[in-house]
């Protein structure tokens, strides 16, 4: 892989250990995937911020990097941590709180923005055609497919290294030839709601692996529904990008058909219990947009959350700040608008949560394993009906 004279100095350690190790990570990665050079990035987004998913050894690596004066050279944002600063923070054991706060401190020392969200694009939309190094898979699919930015699906360490160097190896989704659609998906069933967009993603992710589909036949599309579709595609497969509003140029492109029965079975598979009394109703995977908060507030306004049921709406700090009137409506009803965290990367078992109801296919897919909880998968309106009294 070609390195400029300046990049060679980084590689040889002339700018210190932190820069050297990060450069070595990027060069190794570039060599593995036949990159020819490094390219500048507009931003990096790092996952693996929650102590629950990170653990102790990577936290020590972070500490070493910060101590060696690793500094982000581009705008660098962070995925959710394991609790919000207020409601759940008080319920966490002291040692967990301390470990988590120490992780955040190391990132802050290195100049990362404590965005703590999986929807960094609501803070600042990347420019169309800009190169990014993002690690959150749902955000990667959204960036490539909806925002028109260019990013590989980074791992936590490679996104961290890219942030500190300000560059990423030029391979995969950074190259125009690798962004061409290579399969056509014909959806022959109308999608009724955001949950069904997610279920479609779960179904297709398993079939498509790392292909780039053109998905035809989507009805009543919104950015939020595409967010659900993309998050779910990346949950069960390695899809990094999809198209939904173009016609295939290549006539003999491979084609698959999605029928009503495929979708119905997938929706059913995402609920693991027939018990319709969840301990937690969770909205906000991926983190809610302003529109989604408005929608929840409209449905909940003037009603009360059932006693003994937790109702969480997860979003980023920046969206919460912009939605204050609607946040008040949700909180007056007994719900919690939580920032910085999500159910999957939080310790819900220790809070006694055994059944989680959600409109997110990604959460419904992961919660049985990562939260040791039963799941009820349903659209927003049904989730709210379960959360509310009467
Ligand atoms: Fe975001 Fe957590 Fe879902 S990080 S995409 S809300 S699993």
């Amino acid at each position: 892989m070609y390195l400029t004279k300046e990049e060679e100095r980084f590689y040889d350690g002339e700018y210190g250990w932190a820069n050297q190790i990060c450069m070595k990570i990027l060069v190794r990665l570039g060599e593995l995937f036949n990159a020819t050079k490094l390219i500048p990035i507009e931003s990096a987004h790092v996952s693996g911020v929650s102590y629950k998913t990170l653990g102790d050894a990577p936290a020590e690596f972070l500490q070493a990097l910060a101590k060696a004066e690793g500094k982000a050279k581009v705008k660098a944002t962070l995925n959710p941590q394991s609790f919000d600063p207020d409601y759940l923070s008080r319920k966490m054991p002291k040692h967990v709180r301390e470990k988590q706060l120490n992780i955040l401190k190391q990132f802050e020392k290195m100049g990362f923005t404590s965005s703590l969200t999986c929807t960094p694009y609501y803070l600042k939309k990347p420019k169309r055609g800009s190169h990014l190094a993002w690690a959150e898979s749902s955000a990667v699919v959204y960036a490539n497919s909806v925002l028109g930015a260019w990013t590989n699906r980074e791992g936590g360490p490679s996104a961290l290294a890219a942030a500190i160097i300000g560059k990423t190896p030029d391979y995969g989704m950074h190259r125009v030839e690798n962004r061409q659609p290579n399969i056509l998906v014909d959806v022959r069933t109308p999608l009724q709601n955001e949950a069904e967009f997610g279920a479609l993603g779960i179904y297709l992710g398993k079939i498509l692996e790392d292909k780039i589909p053109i998905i035809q036949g989507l009805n009543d599309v919104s950015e939020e529904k595409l967010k659900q579709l993309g998050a779910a595609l990346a949950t069960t497969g390695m899809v990094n990008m999809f198209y939904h509003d173009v016609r295939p140029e290549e006539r003999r492109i491979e084609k698959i058909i999605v029928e009503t029965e495929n979708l119905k079975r997938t929706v059913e598979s995402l609920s693991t219990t027939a018990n319709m009394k969840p301990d937690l109703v969770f909205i906000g995977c991926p983190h809610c947009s302003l529109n989604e908060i408005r929608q929840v507030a409209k449905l909940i306004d003037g009603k009360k959350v059932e006693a003994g049921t937790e109702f969480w709406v997860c979003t980023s700090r920046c969206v919460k700040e912009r939605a204050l009137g609607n946040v008040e409506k949700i909180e007056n009803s007994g719900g919690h608008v939580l920032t910085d965290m999500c159910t999957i990367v939080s310790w819900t078992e220790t809070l006694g949560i055994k059944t989680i109801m959600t409109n997110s296919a990604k959460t419904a897919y992961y919660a049985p394993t990562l939260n040791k909880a039963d799941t009820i998968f349903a659209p927003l309106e049904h989730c709210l009906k379960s959360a509310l009294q009467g």
Side-chain angles (χ1 to χ4, degrees):
M1 194 166 119
Y2 169 78
L3 294 183
T4 64
K5 286 273 170 285
E6 181 69 349
E7 287 163 356
E8 275 176 7
R9 280 186 209 110
F10 275 80
Y11 192 89
D12 293 338
E14 283 185 37
Y15 296 107
W17 175 80
N19 283 315
Q20 183 182 33
I21 191 88
C22 289
M23 183 57 96
K24 286 198 164 174
I25 291 173
L26 296 184
V27 169
R28 183 83 192 99
L29 190 67
E31 283 170 352
L32 267 175
F33 289 99
N34 297 322
T36 51
K37 59 180 180 182
L38 293 172
I39 49 170
I41 50 169
E42 185 183 286
S43 66
H45 179 76
V46 173
S47 63
V49 176
S50 160
Y51 176 53
K52 178 181 165 184
T53 51
L54 192 66
D56 287 312
E60 279 162 24
F61 176 64
L62 273 182
Q63 194 148 350
L65 270 186
K67 197 167 166 213
E69 303 199 338
K71 289 273 181 273
K73 293 186 185 54
V74 290
K75 182 171 177 52
T77 45
L78 299 176
N79 233 25
Q81 57 149 330
S82 48
F83 49 80
D84 73 303
D86 185 30
Y87 181 59
L88 292 175
S89 167
R90 295 194 297 263
K91 299 179 190 241
M92 290 294 145
K94 190 165 168 253
H95 78 277
V96 166
R97 231 176 21 234
E98 282 172 358
K99 295 261 188 191
Q100 181 65 74
L101 293 177
N102 186 45
I103 290 169
L104 298 188
K105 198 166 125 199
Q106 305 313 319
F107 277 119
E108 274 162 24
K109 262 194 202 164
M110 292 191 281
F112 285 72
T113 307
S114 284
S115 54
L116 303 172
T117 180
C118 48
T119 54
Y121 41 85
Y122 293 147
L123 263 81
K124 189 172 187 288
K125 246 188 209 180
K127 286 193 215 84
R128 285 194 90 76
S130 59
H131 293 273
L132 318 172
W134 284 12
E136 161 57 41
S137 65
S138 67
V140 167
V141 180
Y142 195 84
N144 283 316
S145 316
V146 180
L147 304 176
W150 297 31
T151 178
N152 282 323
R153 188 190 297 197
E154 302 291 345
S158 65
L160 176 65
I164 288 177
I165 299 299
K167 293 179 183 177
T168 194
D170 183 21
Y171 72 93
M173 300 304 291
H174 295 289
R175 293 195 179 172
V176 69
E177 65 272 23
N178 296 329
R179 299 176 65 87
Q180 304 309 312
N182 45 22
I183 188 162
L184 178 66
V185 176
D186 185 3
V187 181
R188 294 198 180 159
T189 179
L191 303 179
Q192 308 292 340
N193 48 55
E194 79 292 354
E196 292 198 351
F197 273 73
L200 175 66
I202 294 288
Y203 175 72
L204 290 176
K206 291 180 191 166
I207 301 173
L208 296 175
E209 296 168 351
D210 62 352
K211 296 202 177 87
I212 299 184
I214 297 178
I215 306 178
Q216 284 186 332
L218 296 180
N219 58 297
D220 197 16
V221 170
S222 68
E223 288 191 351
E224 281 81 4
K225 287 175 180 165
L226 295 178
K227 179 174 73 171
Q228 289 298 333
L229 171 62
L233 276 170
T235 296
T236 48
M238 286 306 291
V239 175
N240 286 327
M241 181 179 187
F242 65 88
Y243 294 89
H244 69 96
D245 52 2
V246 295
R247 286 183 169 279
E249 282 170 20
E250 167 63 68
R251 279 202 204 126
R252 278 177 305 171
I253 194 169
E254 187 189 346
K255 177 170 168 177
I256 57 171
I257 294 169
V258 181
E259 311 271 11
T260 309
E261 193 54 26
N262 305 124
L263 197 69
K264 188 169 166 270
R265 281 215 202 107
T266 309
V267 168
E268 285 166 4
S269 73
L270 291 166
S271 290
T272 62
T273 176
N275 162 20
M276 289 305 278
K277 278 272 161 226
D279 302 310
L280 166 65
V281 176
F282 166 54
I283 307 299
C285 169
H287 275 177
C288 283
S289 67
L290 205 50
N291 266 340
E292 288 169 310
I293 303 247
R294 262 190 221 125
Q295 212 185 340
V296 175
K298 197 170 153 200
L299 290 167
I300 205 174
D301 193 18
K303 304 187 178 115
K304 283 282 171 222
V305 170
E306 186 86 58
T309 305
E310 292 281 331
F311 178 55
W312 299 353
V313 179
C314 285
T315 189
S316 57
R317 293 180 200 177
C318 80
V319 168
K320 185 173 178 178
E321 276 162 20
R322 283 187 243 145
L324 285 182
N326 289 313
V327 168
E328 209 179 300
K329 285 181 189 164
I330 298 169
E331 296 195 332
N332 284 343
S333 298
H336 299 278
V337 180
L338 304 177
T339 64
D340 302 3
M341 52 84 60
C342 81
T343 295
I344 293 295
V345 299
S346 182
W347 278 276
T348 48
E349 316 91 279
T350 62
L351 303 172
I353 290 166
K354 294 195 174 64
T355 306
I356 298 172
M357 186 171 194
T358 184
N359 65 343
S360 159
K362 178 172 179 175
T363 288
Y365 187 86
Y366 280 133
T369 322
L370 297 179
N371 301 79
K372 299 183 181 54
D374 272 319
T375 51
I376 310 164
F377 176 59
L380 177 65
E381 277 83 357
H382 293 205
C383 288
L384 275 163
K385 260 188 209 147
S386 285
L388 297 173
Q389 292 173 358

